[in-house]
Amino acid sequence: MQGMSTKRKPWLLLTAALGFLVFFVFSQQVMADMFSWFKKKELQLSPVIQGKILLNGRPASGMTVLRDLKHGDDSYSEKQVTDSNGHFTFPAKIIKVRESMFDTAVKHNIYVQQDEIINIFSISNLNTLDFNSFNALLKEMTCELSNPDFGLDLEPDPLNPGIYLGAISKCSFADESVIKNKEIMK
Amino acid sequence: MKTLTPQMASQLANAAYQIRTAERTGYSLGKLPSQITNNFSFDLSNGPIMGVSGGMLSRVFNRQTGFAVIGHGKNQYQGDTVLAIRGTFMKISLKSLELRDVVTDLHFGLATGDNQTRIHAGFNKVFQSIKPALTESLDPLLRGNSSGTLHCVGHSLGGALAHLAADWVKRYYGNRVCLYTFGAPRVGLTEFAKKTTSTIDKHFRCVHASDPIPMIPVWPFIHAPYNKHEFVLSPGMSINPFAHSMAKRPGYLNTASGHSWKEIAQNTRTNAQSVVLRYANRHQASFSTYWSLRITDALITILKKAGQLPVILAAAGVGTALTFYDLLARSMEHIAKLTPEFFEDVKGLLGHMLVFAGYVTKTVADLTARFIRWVFDVTLGALYRSARQAFDNLE
């Protein structure tokens, strides 16, 4: 009996060690998967924006332009004043967010503050706005304040064809190749 | 009866997220795809339907947020109404705790819902808190107009609330109701599932195979429509919290972007099927939605075969989770002693549960109620942990 049990022991140990190894590797992989969303990631809420404000065809200088960015409950507002040519520019806005399984509303609105507040550009989506179509529009825009609001259907992201990308704006854009359809909003 | 296309339903569930808070110029759904704006118009001049959601802090400060929006049908959908309810929005504050608990509470509490069946206490509480505002908005539209269809749409918690709203509208106003949910958790026990299956005219329950939220709360909660198919829009074996998202890949917006419900279903699954698990094959199990459902089916199969299912289901409706699982463990111990065949069935089930929960090397020897109870604990623990970890990350 004694002999048998010592004979068996190395096998038992080996099996246990192997079992532990398999479990360890497996659990490490699971852990890696489980905690990958704990990391914070950079998220671009807005690229650099170059814009020009016109009123009845003429450059509108000294206009206050507001950019409101929202990621869930977090808001980021910035203010610029147009120069003598009606130009304004906003820097890119990048924030750090945690990955989550839940969806967060993200919004990007540009306003001009006159007597009243006029919304000149508006996009929204879940989780991110960093799509080629949105970025192309924001790169360079010219906004005639007397324009009506246009609804824009944009090229979807090839990786997420189901995500509808649309914008509401009074502006025209240097790169309109991403606009599939443009019509006055009712 | 007209139904929404998958694309319309998913886009509406998505749009409901945008009405949580107002912009400088008021509330807006943003630019919607033309298939929605051609068929429904939304008047947000008085804001969306508001409610206080979340926990105590929100109530103390009366922080109201928009949670639902109503659209009026036109053209093809003339006379119809659409109700889109926002999904869970979590934030780093105490108010997230309550919703976290609603979805991930292992020790579920039950309440009697509007249709006199037992449902999740948390969902019932949230629904009761939004009902007055819902009534105020729906009354002018539906009272005296029972010919139009109400289309209820929602993702995640919004799906669970849309489910309760659809059932309530049908019984309160008598209108035809269609329900479209994406990644919605289960709302109630068997009686609730059966009852709403008969009241709700059409129910499109869309899930991703890897999305953990539609699997919880676990049995004895079951999904509705009862003994009818749910639409599995993306296949998968593993559990992946990101598969819950509307917009992140696979993303319900992508998987439900088609125009016909038949087209988009990769697969369908129904409630319990007869499953017997052999102990020797337990290492085939893995921590996946597939095995979670299979293990549940095997458990139900044993209870049915032993004639214990009605007793257990009746007990589920009256007790707490703690007493329920105690009872279930005692019942399993009893069943295992009946015949050698039952012993093997129970042993096979427990073996699979252990492997599912990551206890790969643990063997099943004695089938005492105490051991069985422990196996239930680790299995449920593993399942709820995957959902809870995603919430914890937000705090």
Side-chain angles (χ1 to χ4, degrees), chain B residues 149-212:
Chain B
T149 301
L150 177 75
H151 305 273
C152 298
V153 181
H155 168 238
S156 193
L157 174 72
L161 297 174
H163 193 165
L164 289 168
D167 182 66
W168 168 73
V169 163
K170 179 75 187 186
R171 281 176 302 100
Y172 193 67
Y173 295 104
N175 289 65
R176 284 179 302 192
V177 286
C178 296
L179 173 64
Y180 315 80
T181 65
F182 300 92
R186 298 162 177 179
V187 177
L189 305 184
T190 309
E191 282 312 306
F192 173 80
K194 279 183 179 168
K195 233 176 183 173
T196 62
T197 304
S198 65
T199 50
I200 294 168
D201 295 275
K202 287 230 164 140
H203 184 167
F204 302 92
R205 175 180 162 86
C206 301
V207 301
H208 288 152
S210 302
D211 181 353

Side-chain angles (χ1 to χ4, degrees), chain B residues 340-353:
Chain B
E341 194 192 332
F342 271 125
F343 182 87
E344 286 306 315
D345 286 356
V346 175
K347 191 178 172 188
L349 171 71
L350 297 176
H352 281 76
M353 280 183 163

Side-chain angles (χ1 to χ4, degrees), chain A residues 19-20 22-23 26 30 33-39 66-68 70-74 77-78 98-107 109 111 113 117-119 122-127 150-153 158-168 181 183 185-186, chain B residues 7 11 14 17-25 28-34 37-38 63 74 88-92 95 103 155-156 211-213 240-242 244-250 253-254 257 287 358-361 382 385-387 389-395:
Chain A
F20 178 73
V22 168
F23 178 73
F26 176 73
V30 170
D33 287 347
M34 276 182 173
F35 291 106
S36 61
W37 71 79
F38 275 70
K39 291 175 193 154
L66 303 161
R67 179 179 70 179
D68 280 3
K70 272 191 190 175
H71 180 268
D73 273 350
D74 298 323
S77 281
E78 276 178 80
R98 282 207 179 86
E99 278 274 32
S100 159
M101 74 191 280
F102 292 98
D103 292 311
T104 306
V106 188
K107 300 179 182 185
N109 284 289
Y111 304 92
Q113 196 166 17
I117 286 182
I118 303 166
N119 193 337
S122 166
I123 51 176
S124 56
N125 191 46
L126 291 181
N127 311 322
F150 292 100
L152 312 175
D153 294 322
L159 287 176
N160 290 287
I163 297 178
Y164 168 79
L165 301 180
I168 302 172
N181 187 41
E183 56 187 51
M185 294 278 285
K186 282 167 210 159
Chain B
Q7 190 180 32
Q11 294 289 350
N14 183 43
Y17 277 91
Q18 301 301 335
I19 43 108
R20 190 169 180 277
T21 53
E23 312 313 313
R24 286 179 197 262
T25 43
S28 166
L29 284 169
K31 173 76 174 78
L32 293 170
S34 56
T37 49
N38 287 344
R63 281 175 54 181
K74 55 186 178 182
T88 327
F89 176 85
M90 309 276 164
K91 202 45 215 146
I92 309 161
K95 77 178 156 82
V103 185
H155 168 238
S156 193
D211 181 353
I213 299 295
N240 173 15
F242 292 117
H244 182 58
S245 169
M246 281 304 290
K248 286 173 195 157
R249 284 168 67 79
L253 284 169
N254 287 319
S257 64
F287 186 60
Y359 291 77
V360 189
T361 52
R385 207 157 39 237
S386 73
Q389 240 148 10
F391 285 90
D392 285 343
N393 147 45
L394 290 155
E395 284 157 20

